[in-house]
Amino acid sequence: MSDQIPHACPIEQPHSRRGFLSTVLMVIGVAAGYGLGLLHFLEYLVPLRRKTPKREMFVGTLAEFQVGASVTLRDPRGEEISLTRVHDDKTEPANGFKALSSTCPHLGCKVHWDAGKGEFLCPCHNGVFDKNGIAISGPPAKEKKNLSTFEVRVNKDTGWVYVMVSAGDDNVA
Ligand code: FES
């Protein structure tokens, strides 16, 4: 007779399976919680750029703007915009306009349109911008800082001219 101990018969343990599932669910929950927390932390460090809502600001009719004419407007946030009709585009009238910020990107002086030269001039440090707002001389050109642009829309049926401006009180330039 052998005095070996008989092999222990594996006993089904329903509690161990439940325990395993509980552990898996707990790990998933903790991972999701930490993941969400990490996402919020990253968003705090690197804020996502949200699209600024825009709206149309009516500025006049096509007939009111002669080619070469320039007017200064103020958007709802108080930003001055220089709207110039640089040429007469028969197929896409909006393409004949340029709407640029009147604020010099160097130190914030007001630029003005010189129709004779076809340029925007900043009197503070002799900054010069072409008709598209590209800095061509002075400190803004050295710093490669151009005038901000605004979209212009023209309703072809009515001839009404609009400049797209920020709708809210956001702080996007
Ligand atoms: S502020 Fe316009 S060139 Fe300096």
Side-chain angles (χ1 to χ4, degrees), residues 116-135:
K117 293 181 177 174
E119 296 169 340
F120 290 93
L121 308 174
C122 179
C124 290
H125 312 101
N126 298 322
V128 182
F129 305 84
D130 71 8
K131 66 181 182 186
N132 295 312
I134 307 298

Side-chain angles (χ1 to χ4, degrees), residues 20-42:
F20 173 74
L21 284 176
S22 296
T23 304
V24 167
L25 287 176
M26 188 179 73
V27 168
I28 290 172
V30 168
Y34 276 111
L36 210 59
L38 183 66
L39 269 180
H40 286 299
F41 180 66
L42 289 176

Side-chain angles (χ1 to χ4, degrees), residues 62-126:
L62 273 177
E64 293 171 342
F65 291 99
Q66 300 298 314
V67 173
S70 183
V71 294
T72 301
L73 315 160
R74 197 176 288 275
D75 78 2
R77 297 185 310 164
E79 164 107 32
E80 274 191 17
I81 301 167
S82 177
L83 176 67
T84 308
R85 191 168 190 188
V86 288
H87 68 270
D88 185 12
D89 191 316
K90 300 282 188 217
T91 48
E92 280 301 328
N95 291 344
F97 286 87
K98 272 290 164 198
L100 302 165
S101 169
S102 295
T103 305
C104 179
H106 178 224
L107 291 177
C109 290
K110 294 299 169 200
V111 301
H112 66 270
W113 173 246
D114 185 326
K117 293 181 177 174
E119 296 169 340
F120 290 93
L121 308 174
C122 179
C124 290
H125 312 101
N126 298 322

